[in-house]
Amino acid sequence: MKRILYGLLLFSYPLISSCQSITINGKVIDENGKPVPNATITIKQSDKKTISDQYGIFTIHNSLLTDTLVISAVGYEITEQPNNERGLITVILRHSFKSLNEVIISTGYQDLPKERATGAFEFIDNKTLNRRISTTILDKLENTGAVYFDRRNGAENIGIRGRNTIFANASPLIVLDNFPYAGDISDINPNDIENVTILKDAAASSVWGAFSGNGVIIINTKKGKAGQPQLEFNANVTMGQKPDLFYDRNFLDAADYISMEQMLYAKGFYDNDINNTISYPILSPVVELLVKRTNNQVTDADLAAQINALSKLDLRRQLSDYLYRNSWNSQYHLNYSGSSGKYNYFLSAGYDKNWAYLMRNNNERISLRSANTFNLSSKWQFSISMVYIASNNSLNNSGTGLVAPSGKAVYPYEQLRDAQGNNLAIPKDYRLSYLDTAGNGKLLSWLYKPLDELAAANNRTALSHALVDVGITYKMNKNFNAQLKYRYEKQTGEGTNLYNHDTYIARNLINLFTQINGSQVKYQVPNDGILDRSVSALNAYFVRAQLNYNKSWNYLHEVVVLAGAELQQNHRTASSNRIYGYNDDLLTTGIVDYVDLLPTYDNIGSSRNIPNPVYLSDNLNRFISVFANGSYTYNSRYILSLSARKDASNIFGVNTNQKWVPLWSAGLAWQVDKESFFKNNWLSLLKGRITYGYSGNVDNSLSAYPTILYFSFPSLVNQQLYANINNPPNPELRWERT
């Protein structure tokens, strides 16, 4: 009997012991041994919870040996761990940078948790960027509200927290993968972008010194990650409706516009233009009709009938039919990424084709990218990335600019095509009544037909952009490492705008300088096409040496310090010229006299030079910078940050001591939500901060030395070449400070 009871006792011991309640004492740390405060520890079977303290320590009473603990914390992967009979547990949590609540921001020099930052940052993750489909990153940024867009005067300017400069460039600094991006931001394929960080105030952006006065946009591209290889492909097709030109309710319709013209004509407003037989300024069709009625060339009935017909016209309908269309944007992107032991890789290829809502305006882009990281040893890491972008743009339609008479408003009753499908002429530079008889058939047609011009336009731009980044990191110990990074950026662009023999610009210049003597016709401008060409080039170099130190101790203190120096050079060249008498089929050209003042046909205006739009520019900017940035965090709650930088440039002051620009910032932050007295279930983050500092702007158009601008044509006074003072000397010139 005793043996039976003893056997039953042995058999039931595990069950009895598992039902015994114990007290669990544990500690939550990360993979670096640092305590994780405010971690949530939950008993999976009973949903009983507790939270770790500032040292990562926690206690749970009345737990069972069969319980499983679920440990979670913001910014870390969720971990499950079984209980043990001793009730002593150490839990290791691994960081999860994919957490939506934990934000890792980038300054271009370092990555840090947003909660540890004292400056004003705006972080835009990949998911937020992808809320809007677009072939440019600017459109995706507009969707986030992090930057504002100013599209006045037809330009697209972006800004951060308003304008902080008077004369210098008001655009924020664009940083792509840790270096300033010298090219056009719209060339970057948005499918290659992982995230964007906006640096807003001085404490955030002053690390960029004399370039950061308007804020900084940090763009980080996608990299290869540890794990199985991944192949991703996405295709987007976006269709947009043509603009609704009838949306503007303040549009002055044809009938009201004609009434205004009739009133102004009666008051003599147009008399000077009507009586001008030298330059023959343009008159609207209604004013021409009123002139004919005054000269008894039409009857009152004819005048009324024609004005009544014009008053029923609406240019907006013709613009919508013949100049605008529904837009169509297509985007294709393929990438392959992964890791092979000590090698991480990312390869991508993209193709974009866009048809704008203005007819005959198109653009296409091909982008190739490779990013590779090699972990050579436990101390050495090498990275290299390459980007190549090629784009072609056609810009043949200027919208309402195509139908606007020179120096005049668009007439709401202008007609581009008649009911029979014939393209119609509108006033351009001279009165139509004068052009009807000018030259008596010996001149080329001087009429301007917008739809003919649209069909004949041939304005193209081709751009190629190559970028190479190389970096090497040496890890001296777990707290200290050194980095050396280098970037080379090259961009070339070529533009051609061909005005063939049938275009108005070619015919107008040919006619303007044509001399007729009896039956003889002399062309001062060759009787053929005109070709405008432009070429631009950018070569940029960047090199940076940087030391990084990161140390924490006693679970209370953390110090992060970086210091370094960098050099950069931007060399931009551009040129443009014009070829007269150009024949695209025969590749022939003509010779013109650019020097002498030539008489114009019928002396329309004074004698003048044949236009010679030649342009040459060569800009070389060099910068050298030294910088340091540090922060101290106490008890994961109290943060102090300091930053200092000095920039020198070949465009700053004349004297050596004026070439250096000192800028600095300081900040304090307090993580209130991590205090023991803060017990709030609905507010996950409460932070107070105060910052002060200086950032700067560089105005590349100014110089400490006097500069002059040469003109390629002679003075009208003495026929000598001349120049204007473009910039007076300013030896004290340094920078604009914010």
Side-chain angles (χ1 to χ4, degrees):
M1 187 65 180
K2 289 183 179 179
R3 291 181 178 179
I4 296 176
L5 291 176
Y6 183 72
L8 290 173
L9 181 62
L10 290 177
F11 176 79
S12 61
Y13 176 77
L15 180 62
I16 296 173
S17 61
S18 65
C19 296
Q20 291 178 343
S21 62
I22 62 173
T23 298
I24 301 174
N25 294 303
K27 184 176 182 179
V28 184
I29 59 176
D30 63 13
E31 59 265 58
N32 298 318
K34 181 181 176 181
V36 179
N38 297 325
T40 301
I41 299 90
T42 305
I43 296 178
K44 190 174 184 179
Q45 288 78 1
S46 63
D47 203 32
K48 183 184 296 183
K49 296 181 180 180
T50 188
I51 296 176
S52 63
D53 63 13
Q54 62 186 14
Y55 305 105
I57 296 174
F58 67 91
T59 299
I60 299 181
H61 299 286
N62 300 322
S63 175
L64 302 177
L65 288 176
T66 56
D67 287 342
T68 299
L69 304 183
V70 179
I71 303 93
S72 62
V74 173
Y76 296 87
E77 297 177 357
I78 298 176
T79 299
E80 290 190 7
Q81 184 159 326
N83 207 340
N84 64 49
E85 61 182 13
R86 292 180 301 168
L88 299 174
I89 294 177
T90 298
V91 180
I92 300 176
L93 294 183
R94 300 188 180 277
H95 283 88
S96 173
F97 294 105
K98 294 183 179 180
S99 172
L100 295 179
N101 296 317
E102 174 74 358
V103 176
I104 302 299
I105 59 177
S106 173
T107 67
Y109 290 92
Q110 63 178 160
D111 297 332
L112 69 160
K114 187 175 182 180
E115 64 178 11
R116 210 187 73 205
T118 60
F121 296 83
E122 184 82 21
F123 180 78
I124 307 165
D125 60 14
N126 190 259
K127 182 179 179 181
T128 304
L129 289 174
N130 288 333
R131 288 177 182 172
R132 180 172 181 175
I133 297 175
S134 176
T135 56
T136 67
I137 184 58
L138 285 181
D139 289 341
K140 291 177 174 281
L141 289 179
E142 183 178 20
N143 189 47
T144 64
V147 297
Y148 75 88
F149 286 74
D150 183 358
R151 293 187 173 89
R152 292 175 295 180
N153 303 321
E156 184 174 65
N157 300 312
I158 58 176
I160 300 172
R161 287 193 170 183
R163 185 183 179 103
N164 289 323
T165 182
I166 299 176
F167 300 109
N169 183 10
S171 300
L173 175 68
I174 306 297
V175 176
L176 177 68
D177 287 336
N178 306 315
F179 281 111
Y181 183 68
D184 186 350
I185 187 176
S186 61
D187 292 335
I188 303 172
N189 193 324
N191 286 302
D192 285 329
I193 296 176
E194 180 67 27
N195 55 61
V196 176
T197 303
I198 311 295
L199 313 185
K200 296 183 175 182
D201 65 354
S205 64
S206 64
V207 68
W208 287 101
F211 314 97
S212 61
N214 297 303
V216 184
I217 298 177
I218 308 292
I219 300 175
N220 291 316
T221 56
K222 296 177 180 178
K223 307 291 191 303
K225 299 177 181 178
Q228 294 297 320
Q230 293 184 347
L231 181 67
E232 295 182 357
F233 174 76
N234 67 69
N236 302 313
V237 176
T238 307
M239 294 171 286
Q241 191 174 11
K242 69 174 68 174
D244 183 5
L245 303 182
F246 293 87
Y247 179 79
D248 185 3
R249 299 182 180 274
N250 296 320
F251 183 81
L252 190 63
D253 61 24
D256 291 335
Y257 193 93
I258 291 173
S259 297
M260 179 189 68
E261 288 187 305
Q262 290 173 318
M263 180 270 293
L264 293 174
Y265 181 84
K267 294 181 179 296
F269 179 79
Y270 301 104
D271 288 352
N272 289 337
D273 289 345
I274 294 171
N275 298 323
N276 186 338
T277 57
I278 298 177
S279 60
Y280 297 96
I282 61 176
L283 298 174
S284 72
V286 166
V287 176
E288 291 278 20
L289 285 172
L290 295 174
V291 171
K292 289 182 179 180
R293 179 66 195 96
T294 301
N295 296 333
N296 294 318
Q297 294 175 310
V298 296
T299 64
D300 288 337
D302 290 337
L303 175 66
Q306 293 187 56
I307 286 182
N308 182 60
L310 291 174
S311 65
K312 295 179 180 179
L313 299 177
D314 194 328
L315 176 63
R316 293 175 295 178
R317 176 57 61 194
Q318 298 227 338
L319 292 177
S320 182
D321 290 342
Y322 304 130
L323 265 64
Y324 292 87
R325 64 185 175 188
N326 294 335
S327 64
W328 178 284
N329 299 332
S330 58
Q331 187 178 40
Y332 310 93
H333 189 262
L334 175 70
N335 72 66
Y336 180 66
S337 64
S339 175
S340 177
K342 297 181 178 181
Y343 168 49
N344 293 349
Y345 54 88
F346 181 91
L347 305 171
S348 71
Y351 175 74
D352 304 291
K353 178 72 174 180
N354 298 335
W355 290 263
Y357 60 78
L358 286 169
M359 291 183 179
R360 300 209 64 221
N361 284 358
N362 314 302
N363 69 77
E364 61 179 340
R365 177 183 63 198
I366 296 175
S367 61
L368 303 172
R369 182 170 175 269
S370 169
N372 304 276
T373 302
F374 303 87
N375 295 305
L376 305 178
S377 68
S378 60
K379 292 183 176 295
W380 290 95
Q381 183 184 80
F382 175 75
S383 64
I384 181 171
S385 66
M386 294 174 285
V387 178
Y388 176 76
I389 302 169
S391 62
N392 289 282
N393 302 304
S394 296
L395 186 61
N396 299 306
N397 189 343
S398 58
T400 55
L402 195 65
V403 300
S406 301
K408 301 290 183 178
V410 176
Y411 309 125
Y413 51 82
E414 277 182 350
Q415 198 170 7
L416 306 181
R417 182 173 291 173
D418 61 20
Q420 289 72 40
N422 300 312
N423 294 340
L424 301 178
I426 66 171
K428 180 62 173 175
D429 294 304
Y430 315 101
R431 291 178 61 176
L432 285 178
S433 59
Y434 169 74
L435 298 180
D436 288 339
T437 58
N440 295 319
K442 294 183 176 65
L443 295 175
L444 304 178
S445 172
W446 220 328
L447 298 179
Y448 176 77
K449 299 180 179 180
L451 297 186
D452 285 351
E453 297 303 309
L454 179 60
N458 189 354
N459 186 8
R460 299 179 179 179
T461 302
L463 179 74
S464 63
H465 197 160
L467 186 150
V468 178
D469 284 349
V470 178
I472 188 165
T473 300
Y474 175 66
K475 186 176 181 181
M476 303 174 187
N477 53 53
K478 67 177 183 179
N479 305 118
F480 193 47
N481 67 71
Q483 295 177 327
L484 182 64
K485 296 182 178 181
Y486 172 81
R487 165 174 291 179
Y488 172 67
E489 188 172 354
K490 181 180 180 62
Q491 178 178 294
T492 58
E494 181 178 356
T496 59
N497 196 353
L498 174 61
Y499 306 100
N500 65 42
H501 180 263
D502 296 325
T503 61
Y504 175 79
I505 286 184
R507 290 182 285 111
N508 177 50
L509 284 174
I510 294 170
N511 287 342
L512 184 62
F513 290 97
T514 296
Q515 297 299 307
I516 299 177
N517 185 8
S519 61
Q520 294 184 344
V521 178
K522 181 180 180 181
Y523 295 110
Q524 301 284 2
V525 173
N527 188 11
D528 217 320
I530 300 173
L531 176 65
D532 285 344
R533 299 187 303 178
S534 62
V535 178
S536 63
L538 162 69
N539 284 279
Y541 308 86
F542 304 86
V543 61
R544 177 188 302 156
Q546 181 174 320
L547 299 174
N548 303 288
Y549 181 77
N550 188 331
K551 182 177 177 60
S552 59
W553 65 96
N554 295 338
Y555 308 119
L556 290 175
H557 311 281
E558 182 181 20
V559 172
V560 178
V561 179
L562 66 87
E566 61 185 16
L567 302 170
Q568 61 175 289
Q569 173 181 295
N570 291 334
H571 187 199
R572 296 177 183 269
T573 58
S575 63
S576 63
N577 68 307
R578 170 170 288 184
I579 299 175
Y580 286 98
Y582 180 80
N583 187 297
D584 196 34
D585 296 325
L586 303 176
L587 293 180
T588 56
T589 63
I591 300 175
V592 299
D593 180 2
Y594 291 117
V595 178
D596 295 326
L597 290 175
L598 301 177
T600 56
Y601 171 78
D602 202 18
N603 293 318
I604 300 179
S606 59
S607 298
R608 63 188 71 177
N609 296 100
I610 295 176
N612 183 21
V614 174
Y615 173 78
L616 297 170
S617 71
D618 191 328
N619 295 301
L620 178 64
N621 295 322
R622 293 191 178 111
F623 296 91
I624 180 172
S625 307
V626 292
F627 56 87
N629 182 282
S631 68
Y632 168 71
T633 304
Y634 176 73
N635 202 14
S636 301
R637 291 169 173 76
Y638 315 107
I639 307 161
L640 167 67
S641 70
L642 297 171
S643 178
R645 180 179 175 121
K646 292 189 73 174
D647 295 295
S649 170
N650 59 329
I651 64 172
F652 291 162
V654 176
N655 298 324
T656 301
N657 63 345
Q658 294 173 334
K659 289 182 178 291
W660 287 92
V661 178
L663 297 166
W664 61 272
S665 70
L668 288 170
W670 176 27
Q671 289 285 133
V672 183
D673 58 281
K674 292 187 176 182
E675 295 290 353
S676 58
F677 61 78
F678 184 84
K679 301 184 183 300
N680 196 311
N681 295 326
W682 58 268
L683 187 62
S684 60
L685 175 65
L686 181 61
K687 182 179 182 180
R689 58 186 183 83
I690 180 171
T691 64
Y692 186 83
Y694 290 96
S695 56
N697 284 311
V698 176
D699 189 352
N700 292 333
S701 65
L702 301 178
S703 171
Y705 296 97
T707 59
I708 60 176
L709 176 66
Y710 284 100
F711 292 89
S712 59
F713 50 85
S715 167
L716 296 176
V717 177
N718 57 13
Q719 292 300 297
Q720 299 297 313
L721 295 178
Y722 69 103
N724 282 346
I725 294 178
N726 190 44
N727 177 61
N730 186 358
E732 300 298 324
L733 176 68
R734 294 188 181 183
W735 67 92
E736 290 187 3
R737 191 168 66 169
T738 301

